[in-house]
């Protein structure tokens, strides 16, 4: 054993002693020479140091193998030189001087062996092997009695300990990793009560002062306090056992739920223990000292942060471990609550004072910051159940699902339809609205209907309170269940529509019922508006479809008037079109007559009436049919084909045209054809 303990000091310690030992040797030789004192004690010191170095190097050789660092040839040469010189010096001294030197050497050796220094980043653990033990602390003691001393030796603080009375062991200091925390278990201390699973905190400089820990009443077992991450501690490992565990991490956008494993017992009928400010459950001592109780806690851990929480005191549920047998909790319960656009969040508190009535709303309570501080809500008289205060659209908040349930109610326009539903539509708000069926004079009539309405945010809580979805047990969180709105639509709106149609159908014929379609829609819209106004619901459009009968024959009869009416309208349209076409023809004839009259007038003015008549006759003569072959003896057929006969007909026609032209063209009187012009007049007169 060397002066640093049991021989387990690091190799660097021996190299650090070389300059010190050499300095002592040189100073001793210089002082003996100047004062003319014997050299023997100094030479003996050199021999002892040399032998000690040889022993150390031999130990290093056995552990590390041969190398030039642990070669003791030089020490052997020095020993061969120093031994004769020391023996010669001792032989020259008288007995008194020799005795005094021996005593001085022994005293120097003891002082040298008693001087202890702790290497950097190490802790010196002291064990007293001689003396009486303490009756209370037999193994680890805060006093200077036999056993392991609670106080530890620190670097850069030299100590003087008798070599035969104390043993010193060096151990590395405790370093807690950045992503870990240190759980501490005390091996010595007072016995803690059986009702408490963790030892109470004691002022002991983060367990670095073991003596203060024991003297201040520190208890055995797992400690409430922990060692923070990313730091190094000078811990007496004989008194404290350190276990490093992961820090609690809550991912962004989620929350952490806390259950206390230690603390007081909650009285019956209370869901949560009282809230205790304890640095987000990172200070277990404050939690226990402030009256913290076991079980679920009202406060939650915000997402996006690490927490130094003692897992022996608190069980933290996050999205990373929620699947490990956490009962009904799911990942969705640990998400931040986000109210979508077009919805309002109706809040149902699961704890608080008893409600005044079964369907009454909890009054507004100040100071709880949108139910983020549930303990403030309870302290200020908040009541359990549906709250008057809602969460507006676009709100994102971290709420304890053990404390609140948030029911989403749509505030956007809702179009509710009475028709046949498919399986996929059973989650719609109008899932329970079937096609409307009424019985009139024994005939069942069906009609589709749609109603547009809007639920204001202020009306949503009473709608939830009176139509279910407000149970105050179990887990909370964000609730997308459409049941409250479905029940409201079925029980209120659906009942109004069904009652109205049954009422008017009982006192009407099929014809009257169908003919009063417009009045029915207007009256129904008015009744729906009045009924929903009591709920604070805004009514927009009411639309009725076409009535259809269950009996196909009645359907055909119902269709016939419409078909006849459509046919009558079609005939009226055709008649109107025909009259328009006749009017168009008259206009066209008039226009054509006017054009021909103008054209004839222009020709007469240019050529003269007689010439125009001759030209017209010639044109007509050219069109006369002339047979290519005449057979038989009938001369009359031949004469009919001659131009003279055709000419007479044309002359009569021209006379009529002349009369029309003379009377209709600018009122002028034109000369008529005379007998002379027709039978014997001179042909070829020029105009």
């Amino acid at each position: 054993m060397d002066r640093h303990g049991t021989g387990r000091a690091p190799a660097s310690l021996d190299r650090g002693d070389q300059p010190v030992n050499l300095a002592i040797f040189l100073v001793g030789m210089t002082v003996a020479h100047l004062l003319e004192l014997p050299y023997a004690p100094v030479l003996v010191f050199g021999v002892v140091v040399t032998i000690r170095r040889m022993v150390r190097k031999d130990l290093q050789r056995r552990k590390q193998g041969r190398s030039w660092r642990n070669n003791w040839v030089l020490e052997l040469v020095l020993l061969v030189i120093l031994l004769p010189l020391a023996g010669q010096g001792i032989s020259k001294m008288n007995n008194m001087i020799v005795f005094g030197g021996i005593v001085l050497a022994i005293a120097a050796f003891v002082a040298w062996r008693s001087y202890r220094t702790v290497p950097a980043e190490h802790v010196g653990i002291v064990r007293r092997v001689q003396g009486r033990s303490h009756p209370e602390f037999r193994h680890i003691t805060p006093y200077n009695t036999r056993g392991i001393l609670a106080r530890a030796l620190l670097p850069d603080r030299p100590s003087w300990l008798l070599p035969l009375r104390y043993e010193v062991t060096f151990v590395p200091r405790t370093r807690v990793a950045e992503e870990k925390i240190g759980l501490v278990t005390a091996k010595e201390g007072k016995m803690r009560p059986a009702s408490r699973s963790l030892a109470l905190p004691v002022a002991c400089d983060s367990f670095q002062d073991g003596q203060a820990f024991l003297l201040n009443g520190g208890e055995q077992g797992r400690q409430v306090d922990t060692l923070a991450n990313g730091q190094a501690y000078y811990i007496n490992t004989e008194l404290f056992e350190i276990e490093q565990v992961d820090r609690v991490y809550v991912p962004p956008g989620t929350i952490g739920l806390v259950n206390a494993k230690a603390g007081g017992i909650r009285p019956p009928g209370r869901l949560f223990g009282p809230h205790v400010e304890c640095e987000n459950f990172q200070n277990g001592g404050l939690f226990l000292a402030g009256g913290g109780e076991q079980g679920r806690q009202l406060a939650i851990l915000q997402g996006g942060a690490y927490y130094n929480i003692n897992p022996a005191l608190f069980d933290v549920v996050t999205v990373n471990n929620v699947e490990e047998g956490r009962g009904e909790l799911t990942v969705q319960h640990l998400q931040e609550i986000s109210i979508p656009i077009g919805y309002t969040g109706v809040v149902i508190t699961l704890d608080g004072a008893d409600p005044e009535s079964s369907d009454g709303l909890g009054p507004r309570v100040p100071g709880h910051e949108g139910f983020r501080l549930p303990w403030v809500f309870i302290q200020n008289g908040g009541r359990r159940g549906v709250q008057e205060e809602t969460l507006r659209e676009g709100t994102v908040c971290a709420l304890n699902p053990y404390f609140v349930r948030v029911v989403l109610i749509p505030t956007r326009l809702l179009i509710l339809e009475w028709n046949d539903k498919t399986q996929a539509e059973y989650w719609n708000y109008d899932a329970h609205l079937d096609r409307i069926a009424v019985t009139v004079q024994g005939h069942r009539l069906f009609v589709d209907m749609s109603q547009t309405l809007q639920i204001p945010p202020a009306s949503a809580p009473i709608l939830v309170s009176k139509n279910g979805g407000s149970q105050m047990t179990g887990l909370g969180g964000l609730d997308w269940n459409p049941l409250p709105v479905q029940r409201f639509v079925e029980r209120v709106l659906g009942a109004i529509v069904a009652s109205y149609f049954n009422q008017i159908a009982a006192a009407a014929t099929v014809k009257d019922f169908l003919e009063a379609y417009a009045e029915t829609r207007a009256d129904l819209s008015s009744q729906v508006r009045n009924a929903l106004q009591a709920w604070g619901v805004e009514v927009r459009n009411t639309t009725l479809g076409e009535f259809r009968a269950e009996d196909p024959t009645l359907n055909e009869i119902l269709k016939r008037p419409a078909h006849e009416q459509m046919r009558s309208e079609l005939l009226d349209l055709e008649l109107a079109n025909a009259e328009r076409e006749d009017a168009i023809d008259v206009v066209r004839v008039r226009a054509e007559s006017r054009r021909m009259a103008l054209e004839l007038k222009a020709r007469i003015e240019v050529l003269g009436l007689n010439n125009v008549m001759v030209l017209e006759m010639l044109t007509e003569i050219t069109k006369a049919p002339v047979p290519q072959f005449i057979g038989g003896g009938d001369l009359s057929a031949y004469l009919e084909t001659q131009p003279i006969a055709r000419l007479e007909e044309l002359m009569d026609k021209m006379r009529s045209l002349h009369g029309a032209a003379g009377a209709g063209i600018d009122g002028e009187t034109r000369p008529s054809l005379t007998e002379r012009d027709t039978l014997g007049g001179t042909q070829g007169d020029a105009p």
Side-chain angles (χ1 to χ4, degrees):
M1 180 185 300
D2 57 32
R3 71 182 180 91
H4 295 284
T6 59
R8 288 182 287 179
S12 60
L13 184 62
D14 180 59
R15 294 195 297 270
D17 287 347
Q18 293 181 23
V20 177
N21 296 334
L22 180 60
I24 294 174
F25 181 78
L26 294 177
V27 170
M29 291 294 292
T30 303
V31 171
H33 176 71
L34 294 176
L35 300 179
E36 297 181 355
L37 296 175
Y39 294 96
V42 182
L43 294 174
V44 171
F45 174 78
V47 170
V48 173
V49 171
T50 303
I51 293 174
R52 177 171 170 270
R53 284 181 55 79
M54 293 178 65
V55 172
R56 285 196 171 188
K57 286 191 173 183
D58 185 65
L59 291 175
Q60 292 180 3
R61 178 180 297 181
R62 294 178 182 179
K63 293 180 179 180
Q64 303 174 0
R66 293 177 179 272
S67 67
W68 65 272
R69 292 181 179 275
N70 55 35
N71 192 320
W72 41 262
V73 175
L74 180 60
E75 284 76 7
L76 181 60
V77 173
L78 293 175
L79 186 61
V80 171
I81 296 173
L82 292 176
L83 280 175
L85 294 176
Q88 184 179 1
I90 293 174
S91 64
K92 293 180 179 181
M93 299 172 60
N94 56 37
N95 293 335
M96 291 298 297
I97 295 175
V98 172
F99 179 75
I102 292 174
V103 173
L104 182 61
I106 292 175
F109 177 77
V110 172
W112 172 60
R113 291 286 295 172
S114 299
Y115 179 77
R116 311 299 174 95
T117 58
V118 181
E121 298 186 359
H122 284 74
V123 178
I125 299 176
V126 181
R127 179 184 181 87
R128 181 171 178 173
V129 296
Q130 300 293 334
R132 295 180 303 172
S133 61
H134 193 276
E136 184 180 356
F137 303 98
R138 297 183 178 277
H139 179 57
I140 301 176
T141 173
Y143 305 105
N144 193 18
T145 57
R146 188 170 61 186
I148 299 174
L149 301 187
R151 66 181 180 89
L153 303 182
L154 303 179
D156 301 327
R157 297 181 184 178
S159 302
W160 297 88
L161 300 172
L162 294 177
L164 300 179
R165 196 173 186 181
Y166 298 95
E167 294 179 354
V168 180
T169 304
F170 300 121
V171 296
R173 65 177 179 173
T174 301
R175 178 176 291 277
V176 181
E178 186 65 34
E179 69 280 2
K180 304 281 187 178
I181 62 171
L183 303 184
V184 182
T185 302
K187 302 178 183 178
E188 189 67 49
K190 293 172 55 178
M191 299 293 293
R192 69 173 182 273
S195 60
R196 187 158 32 81
S197 60
L198 295 175
L200 295 177
V202 173
C204 56
D205 190 19
S206 297
F207 304 101
Q208 296 180 106
D209 191 343
Q211 187 177 19
F213 175 83
L214 295 178
L215 293 178
N216 292 336
E219 298 174 340
Q220 299 179 31
R222 182 60 57 85
Q223 303 296 304
V224 169
D225 290 342
T226 61
L227 300 180
N229 61 301
Q231 301 185 44
Y233 301 87
Y234 294 95
I235 303 293
N236 187 339
T237 55
E238 292 294 330
L239 176 57
F240 301 107
E241 180 181 349
I242 310 300
E243 177 189 0
Q244 298 195 29
V245 297
D246 293 333
R247 304 169 69 194
V248 174
Y249 176 66
V250 182
T254 67
I255 63 173
L257 300 179
V258 181
N259 292 281
K261 299 179 180 179
I265 305 294
R266 290 198 314 271
R270 201 166 69 193
L271 298 178
F272 302 93
H275 175 70
V276 179
E277 292 292 343
C278 53
E279 301 175 8
N280 289 319
F281 304 100
Q282 298 179 103
N283 193 328
L286 286 178
F287 177 82
L288 296 179
E293 295 178 349
Q294 301 178 32
R296 297 172 180 174
Q297 303 299 307
L298 284 168
I300 62 175
L301 301 178
Q302 299 289 336
Y306 284 90
Y307 299 88
N308 293 342
I309 294 179
N310 190 339
L313 177 57
F314 300 108
D315 179 25
V316 180
V317 183
T318 67
V319 293
N320 298 324
N321 61 8
V322 68
E323 303 297 340
E324 300 173 2
R326 304 292 179 172
E328 299 180 61
L329 275 177
T330 64
V331 173
Q332 296 300 323
H333 290 109
L334 301 179
Q335 302 291 332
E336 289 183 343
I337 290 179
S338 177
I339 308 300
I341 301 299
Y343 289 83
T344 189
V346 177
V347 178
I348 304 171
T349 56
L350 308 180
D351 195 13
D354 293 334
E356 296 180 351
S357 61
S358 59
D359 58 354
L361 300 180
R364 292 179 177 268
V365 178
H368 56 78
E369 297 184 7
F371 305 95
R372 294 176 178 87
L373 306 178
W375 54 93
V376 176
F377 175 86
I378 295 176
Q379 291 170 1
N380 292 342
R383 296 186 176 277
R384 187 171 63 254
V386 182
Q387 302 299 307
E388 180 182 346
E389 181 178 352
T390 62
L391 302 179
R392 295 180 299 177
E393 61 179 4
T395 300
V396 178
C397 53
L399 301 180
N400 191 333
Y402 288 133
F403 175 70
V404 297
R405 176 182 295 110
V406 180
V407 180
L408 291 179
I409 300 299
T411 56
R412 53 184 170 81
L413 284 177
L414 294 180
I415 301 177
L416 308 174
E417 297 181 344
W418 282 256
N419 54 20
D420 292 334
K421 299 294 190 299
T422 63
Q423 187 69 27
E425 294 176 312
Y426 285 164
W427 277 88
N428 292 351
Y429 297 116
D430 57 3
H432 302 292
L433 299 181
D434 294 328
R435 176 178 285 108
I436 299 173
V438 294
T439 302
V440 182
Q441 291 184 311
H443 295 282
R444 286 179 60 82
L445 302 178
F446 300 95
V447 65
D448 292 341
M449 173 181 169
S450 67
Q451 177 67 59
T452 304
L453 55 83
Q454 189 170 19
I455 304 173
S459 304
I462 194 67
L463 185 147
V464 173
S465 177
K466 293 186 176 181
N467 291 280
S470 58
Q471 59 271 19
M472 293 177 285
T473 59
L475 276 173
L478 189 63
D479 191 352
W480 284 85
N481 192 348
L483 181 61
V485 179
Q486 286 181 342
R487 286 180 174 176
F488 168 76
V489 170
E490 178 186 11
R491 297 175 180 178
V492 179
L493 183 60
I496 294 172
V497 173
S499 174
Y500 173 79
F501 277 108
N502 290 333
Q503 181 180 357
I504 64 174
T509 64
V510 174
K511 180 180 180 182
D512 295 337
F513 184 82
L514 296 179
E515 289 179 350
Y517 176 86
E519 293 80 1
T520 298
R521 189 194 66 80
D523 192 20
L524 175 61
S525 176
S526 177
Q527 291 202 22
V528 169
R529 179 175 291 101
N530 294 334
L532 298 189
Q533 188 176 4
W535 291 80
V537 177
E538 300 175 0
V539 177
R540 302 299 174 87
N541 298 327
T542 302
T543 304
L544 282 178
E546 179 184 356
F547 283 95
R548 293 183 298 278
E550 186 178 29
D551 185 3
T553 304
L554 181 58
N555 276 331
E556 294 297 328
I557 296 174
L558 294 177
K559 292 178 182 178
R560 190 174 303 164
H563 291 170
E564 293 298 329
Q565 182 179 0
M566 293 174 59
R567 184 169 178 273
S568 176
E569 292 176 355
L570 180 61
L571 293 176
D572 291 342
L573 182 62
E574 291 179 353
L575 177 60
N577 291 337
E579 291 176 351
R580 290 189 181 92
E581 290 178 356
D582 290 344
I584 292 172
D585 290 342
V586 171
V587 172
R588 287 176 178 173
V589 169
R590 289 176 181 174
E592 182 66 20
S593 299
R594 187 180 299 110
R595 184 189 65 78
M596 293 178 63
L598 292 175
E599 182 180 354
L600 180 58
K601 177 182 178 182
R603 293 178 65 187
I604 292 174
E605 290 177 351
V606 174
L607 301 178
L609 177 60
N610 294 332
N611 292 333
V612 171
M613 293 175 63
V614 172
L615 291 175
E616 288 295 329
M617 284 189 293
L618 293 176
T619 301
E620 290 297 327
I621 290 173
T622 57
K623 296 179 181 179
V626 178
Q628 298 296 324
F629 174 78
I630 299 175
D634 190 357
L635 184 60
S636 61
Y638 173 76
L639 292 177
E640 289 179 357
T641 62
Q642 297 304 306
I644 296 300
R646 187 65 176 167
L647 183 60
E648 292 179 355
E649 179 182 353
L650 290 177
M651 291 297 293
D652 294 336
K653 183 176 180 180
M654 291 302 294
R655 291 190 188 97
S656 62
L657 289 177
H658 172 69
I665 301 176
D666 295 335
E668 297 179 358
T669 302
R670 296 292 182 179
S672 60
L673 294 176
T674 62
E675 290 296 331
R676 182 184 58 84
D677 294 328
T678 304
L679 298 176
T682 304
Q683 299 182 2
D685 292 342

